[in-house]
Amino acid sequence: MICAQKSKLPTFRNTGNPLVKDKFTADPAPLVYDGTLYLYVGRDEYYEGQDTAGGGKEFNITEWLCYSTKDMQTWTDHGSVLKPTDFKWGVGESWAAQVVEKDGKFYYYVTALAGEPYNSRVVGVAVSDSPTGPFTDPLGKPLVSDDMTDNGPRGWWNDIDPTALIDDNGQAWLCWGNGTCFLAKLKPNMIELDGEIQVIDMPRYVEGPWLSKRDGTYYLTYASFGKGKENIAYATAPSMEGPWTPKGELTGTAENSFTIHPGIVEFKGKWYLFYHNATLTLDGHKGAIGRRSVCVDELHYNSDGTMQRVEQTQQGVSTSR
Ligand code: FUB
């Protein structure tokens, strides 16, 4: 009898920050499901001319990758789980994304470049029965397109960086935006907005929002404009309806990277802040604005619910450096 052999996925050991050392990775988005932490990232790809690119195509991300761990030390590489071209409207580049689980289905909210008739960056959603895919496009069109929001300071590319939170009462929320922080309810089907799109006014808000909840307090953590580049700041609220109170900086700026992007999760009794810097050299290519690397450090809270400032370390959360 011939038994089909399940192909074995590659694994690696956490040897400190950056966490992934064989690829450039950015915009980390953790998800805890069934005792496993899944980490979704965009793959920053090197391309000829990238070092001198000005203003335009700093980032070259054409696929999203997934990693998983049960102990933060041994990681499994699930490879590429979604591409912008998996959406029939998607063309080329993909930016930050997040996966959330509801009733055994996994919803992948992504930033992608959409072709005709959208011709802008949009938020899309893909769905799967498994955290590692395959993911398919249930809508056949973007979830948020440029015509649905005011353009604000970033024009046609302000609808980026979606983050989703499902509250304990089952209400799901979607937050996104560059230059403007947008917030809307999701319908129970998770693939349509429900009601008005609000704008949340955050000091020095740039992009990369991340929604989380701990002990009845809601956190909106985001990339803010710091000393010449982005750092991470946050605000808290007693409910998703607000009011949101700015709480200041959570981190400084990232080493060698203009951008930084938070991803926060509780896993096995500890809280973690994922972010990226650009300290990795790979195949002779030094880290750069579009050659970033995902990192993780522990996150601690004060008794009043505020977050303690996170120092970005080389040790990270590894035990094997
Ligand atoms: O990775 C491309 C963009 O850079 C993301 O969408 C932003 O959050 C910033 O990290």
Side-chain angles (χ1 to χ4, degrees), residues 26-27 44 59 61 94-96 111 160-161 207-208 230 259-261 276 292:
D27 303 327
D44 266 353
F59 309 114
I61 304 175
S94 41
W95 286 2
T111 311
I160 69 167
D161 291 1
E207 58 184 353
E230 293 177 353
T259 66
I260 191 166
H261 188 112
H276 61 229
R292 297 162 291 177

Side-chain angles (χ1 to χ4, degrees), residues 162-220:
T163 176
L165 174 96
I166 304 170
D167 207 347
D168 298 331
N169 63 8
Q171 178 63 59
W173 295 81
L174 189 77
C175 179
W176 72 97
N178 182 307
T180 310
C181 184
F182 298 109
L183 179 68
K185 285 182 179 166
L186 284 162
K187 288 188 179 168
N189 66 14
M190 301 293 279
I191 59 171
E192 286 174 281
L193 299 189
D194 195 359
E196 279 184 14
I197 297 174
Q198 309 167 39
V199 170
I200 308 183
D201 196 16
M202 290 289 153
R204 305 177 80 80
Y205 175 85
V206 183
E207 58 184 353
W210 184 271
L211 290 171
S212 57
K213 183 179 183 183
R214 178 182 174 273
D215 291 347
T217 298
Y218 296 78
Y219 296 79
L220 175 48

Side-chain angles (χ1 to χ4, degrees), residues 5-206:
Q5 277 263 305
K6 209 175 163 196
S7 60
K8 204 164 160 23
L9 293 167
T11 60
F12 64 91
R13 222 35 222 159
N14 180 352
T15 57
N17 288 327
L19 179 63
V20 179
K21 294 186 174 67
D22 67 343
K23 291 179 190 78
F24 292 117
T25 55
D27 303 327
L31 163 75
V32 170
Y33 178 72
D34 200 16
T36 298
L37 188 154
Y38 294 88
L39 178 65
Y40 302 87
V41 303
R43 183 160 85 87
D44 266 353
E45 293 163 53
Y46 173 80
Y47 69 95
E48 215 49 59
Q50 187 181 42
D51 286 323
T52 53
K57 199 181 175 189
E58 297 104 328
F59 309 114
N60 187 36
I61 304 175
T62 59
E63 60 184 350
W64 292 281
L65 313 175
C66 178
Y67 299 89
S68 70
T69 184
K70 288 185 186 300
D71 59 8
M72 299 300 283
Q73 302 306 319
T74 302
W75 287 79
T76 300
D77 181 346
H78 297 271
S80 174
V81 289
L82 187 65
K83 295 186 167 134
T85 46
D86 291 337
F87 298 93
K88 76 173 185 207
W89 45 263
V91 290
E93 274 190 349
S94 41
W95 286 2
Q98 183 185 352
V99 177
V100 295
E101 182 268 342
K102 185 185 175 196
D103 299 334
K105 289 208 180 293
F106 298 83
Y107 296 89
Y108 212 140
Y109 298 95
V110 306
T111 311
L113 198 56
E116 290 287 347
Y118 309 102
N119 296 323
S120 63
R121 293 195 194 286
V122 301
V123 174
V125 59
V127 65
S128 175
D129 293 329
S130 151
T132 53
F135 289 90
T136 53
D137 174 4
L139 282 176
K141 62 176 186 178
L143 170 60
V144 180
S145 50
D146 201 28
D147 53 311
M148 293 165 65
T149 57
D150 283 341
N151 271 339
R154 295 305 181 274
W156 63 276
W157 59 276
N158 66 348
D159 293 306
I160 69 167
D161 291 1
T163 176
L165 174 96
I166 304 170
D167 207 347
D168 298 331
N169 63 8
Q171 178 63 59
W173 295 81
L174 189 77
C175 179
W176 72 97
N178 182 307
T180 310
C181 184
F182 298 109
L183 179 68
K185 285 182 179 166
L186 284 162
K187 288 188 179 168
N189 66 14
M190 301 293 279
I191 59 171
E192 286 174 281
L193 299 189
D194 195 359
E196 279 184 14
I197 297 174
Q198 309 167 39
V199 170
I200 308 183
D201 196 16
M202 290 289 153
R204 305 177 80 80
Y205 175 85
V206 183

